[in-house]
Amino acid sequence: MSEPRVTFFHAPNSRSGGTLALLEELEADYDMHVLSLGAKQQRQPDYLAVNPMGKVPAILHDGALITEQPAVYLYLADLFTKHQLAPPIGDPLRGPYLRWMVFYGSCFEPALVDRSMKREPAAPSTCPYGDFDTMFKTLTEQLERGPYLLGERFSAVDVLWGNALNWTTMFKLVPETPVIRAYIDRVLSRPAIKRSHEKDAALAAAQASQAA
């Protein structure tokens, strides 16, 4: 059987950089379509035909479109199994793995957007994430058990969170506590993550030179 191959839609210096990092970690075969956010290519008809939300990342595989970061990570880690970055069904860590993947999109990002926009969250009884402080405490307490979100086992969920926390602390959206900083450094020190950042920087530089 031939190795699977995916089409990956990516924009440098965006959240899809995490998907690039995961593809590198998985040693996956992929064809990359690079979009320029500065030129608003993500809002052009060609890309809106791929993802009507005009967001990256997006991947195509065997005719299936996958968007939304956690879904993309879950799909890729299950598709490319060489490095076992996704606990399979039946593994005791599968449930915690799914929990932290979904926690990112359902709790972390909504709480972060409300906080960054200085919006009052809904009452905890109706708010999907409760409140920011509880969300952040829940995350921090899990990281304190470390070194990774699943304890000793590194997984695709760490690629998601390591890259996300790197960006959000960089922009002062998340408090850079010692446990958060140590976790970010641990994830970013991995060779595949470094390689993905180098690729992303080269793509960003090429777009900048074209725009000049």
Side-chain angles (χ1 to χ4, degrees), residues 27-120:
E27 295 187 80
D29 289 328
Y30 61 94
D31 299 309
M32 182 162 55
H33 289 241
V34 182
L35 304 171
S36 169
L37 299 184
K40 300 188 183 304
Q41 290 178 343
Q42 80 279 14
R43 299 294 178 185
Q44 299 304 310
D46 284 352
Y47 186 63
L48 291 176
V50 175
N51 182 6
M53 296 293 290
K55 300 287 187 179
V56 289
I59 60 172
L60 291 170
H61 176 245
D62 280 352
L65 168 68
I66 303 94
T67 67
E68 313 317 312
Q69 277 198 102
V72 169
Y73 280 66
L74 289 168
Y75 191 93
L76 290 174
D78 282 342
L79 181 65
F80 296 98
T81 59
K82 177 179 178 180
H83 294 292
Q84 299 181 336
L85 294 189
I89 293 175
D91 187 313
L93 290 176
R94 181 70 179 189
Y97 170 75
L98 295 176
R99 174 198 179 191
W100 290 108
M101 278 290 191
V102 175
F103 189 88
Y104 174 82
S106 63
C107 295
F108 178 77
E109 281 218 350
L112 198 68
V113 170
D114 279 345
R115 190 169 188 260
S116 66
M117 299 293 290
K118 297 180 170 54
R119 294 194 299 233
E120 287 294 325

Side-chain angles (χ1 to χ4, degrees), residues 14-211:
S14 76
R15 68 186 59 204
S16 65
T19 300
L20 177 59
L22 179 60
L23 288 164
E24 291 295 318
E25 279 281 355
L26 294 167
E27 295 187 80
D29 289 328
Y30 61 94
D31 299 309
M32 182 162 55
H33 289 241
V34 182
L35 304 171
S36 169
L37 299 184
K40 300 188 183 304
Q41 290 178 343
Q42 80 279 14
R43 299 294 178 185
Q44 299 304 310
D46 284 352
Y47 186 63
L48 291 176
V50 175
N51 182 6
M53 296 293 290
K55 300 287 187 179
V56 289
I59 60 172
L60 291 170
H61 176 245
D62 280 352
L65 168 68
I66 303 94
T67 67
E68 313 317 312
Q69 277 198 102
V72 169
Y73 280 66
L74 289 168
Y75 191 93
L76 290 174
D78 282 342
L79 181 65
F80 296 98
T81 59
K82 177 179 178 180
H83 294 292
Q84 299 181 336
L85 294 189
I89 293 175
D91 187 313
L93 290 176
R94 181 70 179 189
Y97 170 75
L98 295 176
R99 174 198 179 191
W100 290 108
M101 278 290 191
V102 175
F103 189 88
Y104 174 82
S106 63
C107 295
F108 178 77
E109 281 218 350
L112 198 68
V113 170
D114 279 345
R115 190 169 188 260
S116 66
M117 299 293 290
K118 297 180 170 54
R119 294 194 299 233
E120 287 294 325
S125 61
T126 58
C127 183
Y129 61 83
D131 62 78
F132 182 90
D133 290 340
T134 301
M135 178 282 296
F136 191 67
K137 181 174 182 289
T138 302
L139 172 63
T140 300
E141 288 179 347
Q142 184 68 18
L143 292 178
E144 285 172 346
R145 300 184 180 103
Y148 300 110
L149 277 163
L150 301 184
E152 295 295 326
R153 182 168 178 177
F154 177 82
S155 71
V157 79
D158 295 300
V159 183
L160 172 65
W161 280 97
N163 280 277
L165 289 172
N166 181 47
W167 277 97
T168 53
T169 54
M170 190 185 307
F171 289 102
K172 311 299 183 187
L173 299 174
V174 170
E176 192 173 323
T177 65
V179 68
I180 294 288
R181 183 70 255 167
Y183 175 73
I184 294 169
D185 291 343
R186 197 174 300 124
V187 173
L188 297 193
S189 68
R190 296 178 62 84
I193 305 292
K194 290 181 177 179
R195 188 166 63 247
S196 74
H197 288 182
E198 290 168 358
K199 287 188 175 183
D200 200 52
L203 290 169
Q207 287 187 347
S209 66
Q210 290 171 2

